[in-house]
């Protein structure tokens, strides 16, 4: 199994320059190799296997940066190009400076070491590190990704390998979750889990800032005086965006942690985002705004770590249209109908609660566990 830990780092000015240079070199090598690959493909219809070494003589600045970072970018490009090759879609994209997200380096002969308050990285040397969580001694370091956020903060993400024996957990408690547009989800006990108000308010504020920014005249860099406010506003948007991302991830981590600890099995409905994006835009937007997919990924990973299962229910399963009490199936249920009232057994139940119970029951059926309260 592997796990990634993210820490903030505080490179000194020289190290900051080298990080920027490395990011630039990675982008450069990607773009150079890609354009050569495309040219080769267009004349021969074959794939060109080129390596960064080929470019180092002509572009000597490539020698100044971590060669493993360049090698990783090459592997990444190769994968992207191969997928273009097999699927015959469009070529991989050229990389732009504003999308510099980070570079990855690997451990070779002790070139990377996590020390007390520092991390030793290739070419950079010792970089100050804020280690807010402990890394167990038996975890093996595999690679490190160095990144710079849009607001100018630096981070590392450390990928670690660890060995573990997980014994399957006996299923005693189970729960079904149904995505809810206004809250976050409704569970099969009838509880509504509300999304944190502060994140929703921040998101509203971000939308306001973004739309006011897009309405503004976009200055070019020569018009320094006029553009001051524009770039100030742009920076504000980036800071808020980062804050929302962090807060949301923190919330999703805590919530998935607590569900994984208290339930032995969780059932959830898979939603078809692509189809929804055309049929119900508002719904699809809310799913991505809430980070529902990230939540499912975290939840599954945390359950598996404890020997537990996340049961994914097929999107065609009629969780909303079926009565959770008698199994009667409605032919139609409008989105506006918030109460499920069964023509057959006369049960009236909150629509999402009813769906969550169905999801739980279907999950149990799939797990072949019976007689659970
Ligand atoms: Zn019924």
């Amino acid at each position: 199994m592997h796990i990634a830990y993210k820490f903030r780092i505080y490179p000194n000015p020289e190290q900051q320059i080298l990080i920027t240079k490395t990011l630039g070199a990675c982008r450069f090598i990607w773009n150079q190799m890609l354009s050569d690959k495309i040219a080769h493909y267009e004349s021969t219809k074959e794939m060109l296997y080129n390596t960064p070494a080929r470019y180092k003589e002509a572009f000597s600045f490539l020698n100044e940066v971590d060669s493993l970072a360049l090698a990783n970018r090459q592997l990444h490009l190769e994968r992207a190009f191969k997928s273009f090759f097999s699927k015959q879609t469009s070529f991989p994209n050229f990389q732009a400076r504003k999308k510099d997200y980070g570079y990855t380096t690997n451990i070779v002969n002790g070139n990377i070491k996590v020390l007390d308050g520092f991390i030793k990285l290739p070419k950079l040397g010792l970089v100050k590190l804020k280690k807010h969580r402990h890394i167990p001694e038996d975890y093996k370091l595999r690679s490190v990704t160095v990144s710079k956020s849009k607001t100018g903060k630096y981070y590392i993400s450390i990928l670690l390998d660890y060995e573990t024996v997980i014994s399957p957990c006996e299923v005693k408690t189970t729960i079904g979750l149904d995505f809810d547009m206004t809250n976050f989800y409704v569970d099969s006990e009838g509880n509504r889990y509300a999304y944190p108000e502060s994140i929703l308010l921040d998101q509203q504020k971000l939308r306001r800032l973004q739309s006011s920014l897009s309405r503004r005249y976009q200055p070019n860099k020569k018009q320094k005086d006029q553009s001051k406010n524009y770039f100030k506003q742009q920076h504000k948007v980036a800071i808020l965006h980062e804050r929302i991302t962090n807060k949301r991830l923190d919330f999703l981590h805590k919530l998935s942690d607590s569900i994984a600890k208290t339930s032995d099995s969780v059932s959830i409905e898979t939603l078809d985002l692509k189809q929804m994006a055309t049929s119900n835009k508002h719904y699809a937007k809310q799913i991505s705004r809430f980070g529902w997919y990230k939540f499912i990924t975290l939840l599954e990973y945390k359950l598996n770590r404890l020997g537990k299962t996340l049961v994914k229910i097929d999107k065609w399963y009629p969780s909303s249209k079926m009565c959770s009490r008698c199994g009667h199936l409605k032919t139609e249920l409008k989105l506006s109908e918030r109460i499920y009232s069964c023509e057959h057994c006369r049960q009236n139940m909150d629509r999402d609660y009813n769906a969550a119970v169905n999801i739980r029951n279907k999950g149990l059926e799939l797990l072949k566990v019976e007689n659970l309260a």
Side-chain angles (χ1 to χ4, degrees), residues 349-360:
M349 202 171 169
D350 173 84
R351 173 206 180 95
D352 299 320
Y353 180 16
N354 178 62
V357 172
N358 281 328
I359 290 169
R360 183 199 61 189

Side-chain angles (χ1 to χ4, degrees), residues 34 37-38 41-42 45-47 77-93:
L34 177 59
K37 271 184 176 15
I38 292 175
Y41 174 79
E42 279 172 347
K45 294 287 161 215
E46 273 172 21
M47 180 160 155
L77 175 61
E78 228 137 75
R79 279 199 301 276
F81 211 82
K82 269 184 191 147
S83 122
F84 146 74
F85 222 78
S86 57
K87 290 181 197 145
Q88 292 291 321
T89 48
S90 52
F91 289 121
N93 288 326

Side-chain angles (χ1 to χ4, degrees), residues 1-5 66 68 72 79 104-114 119 121-122 135-136 138-145 157-163:
M1 303 258 281
H2 44 259
I3 187 169
Y5 284 0
D66 185 351
L68 290 161
N72 279 316
R79 279 199 301 276
T104 301
T105 184
N106 305 75
I107 188 152
V108 182
N109 301 328
N111 59 346
I112 302 173
K113 265 188 193 131
V114 181
I119 181 166
L121 288 166
I135 301 175
D138 55 331
Y139 282 26
K140 274 202 193 97
L141 203 150
R142 245 169 63 168
S143 65
V144 173
T145 299
S157 177
I158 307 181
L159 191 67
L160 302 144
D161 267 337
Y162 64 98
E163 273 174 43

Side-chain angles (χ1 to χ4, degrees), residues 202-215:
D202 276 353
Q203 282 173 334
Q204 257 175 32
K205 201 171 154 195
L206 180 69
R207 283 201 291 282
R208 267 203 309 276
L209 280 175
Q210 276 169 334
S211 75
S212 94
L213 194 64
S214 69
R215 274 198 307 271

Side-chain angles (χ1 to χ4, degrees), residues 323-328 340-347:
C323 171
S324 62
R325 189 167 165 211
C326 73
H328 174 74
Y340 184 100
S341 38
C342 179
E343 300 95 351
H344 190 75
C345 73
R346 304 272 161 220
Q347 161 168 262

Side-chain angles (χ1 to χ4, degrees), residues 318 320-323 327-335 337 340-344 351:
S320 301
K321 287 183 185 162
M322 193 162 63
C323 171
H328 174 74
L329 203 60
K330 276 184 191 289
T331 44
E332 208 200 342
L333 182 73
K334 288 191 189 109
L335 259 176
E337 292 178 54
Y340 184 100
S341 38
C342 179
E343 300 95 351
H344 190 75
R351 173 206 180 95

